[in-house]
Structure formats: structure tokens, C-alpha cells
Amino acid sequence: KIFIRTYTGMAAVYTLDVEPLTTIRQLKELFRQNAYYDETLSFIFDDDVLDQDDATLLSYGIDDKSDLELKNLNIRTRGIGNTLGSKFI
């Protein structure tokens, strides 16, 4: 199991059952099926963007009970440390 946290819209935590050899592409599809999410998906783990769709969770060092963050990298924020403030394009 891994946990995916969203901070846009209604912040939520999703729990997904995955295997170490699950690819990032498969993770994105699984998340879309469970969260009904159509936006561009970018997962963050340990401050790294998981941008290699064919890489596995294992190759990123993601194991059981890891926390990933979902971000839409097409939206930029302004404010203190890019964590507070209004979004703009």
C-alpha cells in the first residue's frame, strides 16, 4: 500500500494497493480510476518528481506505506516558499 496526498481542491489522502514493480504509468492509471482525476498527474516522492513513466516504484525507492504527493505542475503558486498564496498561470 502507498498513500497519495492531494492538496488541490478538496485535499484528500488516497490509499492504493500496488506492487514494487508497478510502473509510474500504471500508478497514474490506477489513481485516475480510483480518484476520478483527469488533470495532468505529477507525483512527488522525497522531493523528486516521478517523471519516468516506465520506471517502477522500486526504482524510486518507494516501498510499503510510502507517502506520495500529487501536484499539477502546470499550476504555479505565488507566496511564501511557493506554499501559500494564489495560483496563477
Side-chain angles (χ1 to χ4, degrees):
K1 288 184 181 182
I2 61 170
F3 305 99
I4 298 177
R5 299 179 186 284
T6 64
Y7 296 102
T8 58
M10 304 260 318
V13 177
Y14 296 88
T15 303
L16 298 178
D17 289 316
V18 293
E19 299 295 325
L21 297 179
T22 300
T23 65
I24 299 304
R25 178 178 286 116
Q26 292 169 324
L27 178 64
K28 288 177 180 179
E29 184 59 33
L30 184 61
F31 182 78
R32 281 188 178 104
Q33 291 171 359
N34 284 282
Y36 308 105
Y37 196 85
D38 288 332
E39 300 289 327
T40 302
L41 298 177
S42 297
F43 294 109
I44 312 292
F45 177 70
D46 200 22
D47 293 326
D48 289 327
V49 177
L50 309 183
D51 56 357
Q52 301 296 318
D53 282 346
D54 293 326
T56 64
L57 298 178
L58 181 65
S59 68
Y60 278 109
I62 298 168
D63 53 16
D64 192 38
K65 298 183 182 170
S66 289
D67 284 311
L68 279 65
E69 182 178 337
L70 176 71
K71 283 196 175 182
N72 184 339
L73 297 181
N74 295 326
I75 297 175
R76 297 185 346 219
T77 59
R78 62 180 169 184
I80 302 169
N82 281 345
T83 58
L84 301 173
S86 301
K87 68 179 180 181
F88 66 96
I89 305 286

